[in-house]
Structure formats: C-alpha cells, structure tokens
Amino acid sequence: MKTSRRLLPYLLVLPGGLWLALFFVAPAGQLAATSLYDPAGSVADGYDMTWSFGNYPAALRAYGGHFGRSLLYAGIATAIALLLGYPLAYAMARRAGRWKNLLMVCVVAPMFTSFLVRTLAWKTILSDNGWLVGVLRDLHLLEPDGRLLATPVAVVLGLTYNFLPFLVLPLYASLERLDGRLLEAARDLYAGRLRTFVTVTLPLSAPGLTAGILLFFIPASGDYVNARLLGSPNEYLVGNAIDSAFLVRLDYPQAAALSFLLMAMVLALVVAGLRRGRAGEVW
C-alpha cells in the first residue's frame, strides 16, 4: 500500500510526461538535428548530417533584424496589454459584481472566431479608407497622406488585440483568489489605495502576472500572421523568415536553425519568468 502511494504521483504525471515527450521533446530533437544538416544540400538531393553548427551564426547574421523586431514588437505589445489588461482583470475580479460574467464573455468571445478572421478585421479597420484613419486625419493626429496599415503600429496593435485574453485570464484568476481580508488589514493600518495596491495587491498577483506575461509574449514573439497581413516586408518578424525558409525556399537547415534559436530564447524567458514567479517577484 505504501509503495502504491509513493508511485501514485508519478503515475498521475506519466500521461502528461508521455505527451510532452512525444509531441515536444521528439520534434525538438528532430528540429535540432535538421538545423545541423549540410546547408549545401537540397530537397531533391537530400541533406547530409555534417554537424554544421555554422548554420546558427549564419542564421543570426541573415535575420538578426527579424529577431530584434520580434522581441521589440512583442515587448511593446506586452507592455500595452499590461496597461489594458491589468485594470480589466482587476475590475472583473474585484469590482464587476453582477457584470463579471458579461465582462468574461467579452474577453473570451473573440477567441471563438478564427485568428485569421480577427486579423483580417483589423486590416479593414486600419485601412487607408477606414473610419479610424479618417478620424485621426480629422484630428490632425495623422498627416493627410498618413496611414496605419503596413506600419509597425498596425503589427503591434494586431498582436495586442489577438493575444490580450492570454494575459487577462491568468491575471483574473490570480486576483479573484486574493484574500479581501488582507486589503482590509492594509486599510486598517491607514494605507491608501495606491499603497495598498503596491504593497499588497500587486505582489500577491505576481504569479498570475508572470503567467500572463509569458502566455502573451511567447506566441507574440513567434507570430507571423499579423506581420504578413497588417505590416509590410519591412515589418516582417522571425516567424515570417521561418515560414519563408520552410515553405518557399525549402532551406530546411536554416529554417530549423531559426526555429531552434527562437525556441531557445523563449525557453530562457520561461525559465526566468518561472523563477521570478516562484520568488513572488513582478516582471
């Protein structure tokens, strides 16, 4: 009986572990191997395993700008999402009352629609003849020939909109579990609203905040749909370079090297984020 109890946690973890091994570890290993193939090979002639570690610096030299734009745009979009998402999550968890379910539906409902359809809708909203550009021109916030589409602004707005629920939902879950008695204790000790938020609410919501940032930043940094539909080639991200290398140029070693570099960066951010969340810190 004691042996079965000791084995029970491992048995519970086993299905998830097998799933990760089959659909993450094995493909990642194959991706790493492909990234070391001879870059002189081709789909027609085949690729030889030559342990070409030079594929990595070559990929960085060729697409360093794409990596920089991916991290920059994803970082800006994450900051904007935080400014929008934290107040929304706080209102849903602590202030919404009977409107809580309606706000939750408003956050989740866009995800019932295809990612592609949502991005195409933004393409219509930001078009040169759209109402938003017209209003900005009338307010003299845009030049008469100014535009939003095919600019970094459009790509960042698309990233922010499409991935915002991934940041709001973990934050909401964390804030909803917040013990209200702690806030009352802070008020009893004559702490104002701002001081209570900084010293009590924000630190206690750090795990949800860290999870939300990771869930937002990770897909945003690897996205290519928003840059393709809302930007121009000058705004293409590393995801667009990977897509082109895999499906257009059929340069599998370079595509795998780019993918593995991006995955390594993301995993490093995940590890750093988990350490901060475990320590109760905020990004």
Side-chain angles (χ1 to χ4, degrees), residues 115-166:
F115 186 94
L116 183 61
V117 171
R118 298 201 307 268
T119 308
L120 288 172
W122 269 98
K123 187 174 183 178
T124 301
I125 293 171
L126 300 175
S127 65
D128 295 343
N129 298 322
W131 64 269
L132 181 58
V133 171
V135 169
L136 293 177
R137 287 173 178 170
D138 292 340
L139 295 175
H140 302 289
L141 297 176
L142 271 180
E143 297 293 332
D145 57 346
R147 60 185 324 213
L148 293 176
L149 199 62
T151 66
V153 173
V155 178
V156 170
L157 287 176
L159 292 173
T160 303
Y161 170 77
N162 280 307
F163 298 114
L164 184 61
F166 295 119

Side-chain angles (χ1 to χ4, degrees), residues 4-30:
S4 61
R5 286 182 178 179
R6 286 198 299 267
L7 292 177
L8 181 59
Y10 298 100
L11 293 175
L12 293 174
V13 172
L14 182 61
L18 291 175
W19 181 273
L20 287 174
L22 183 61
F23 294 106
F24 178 75
V25 177
Q30 180 59 45

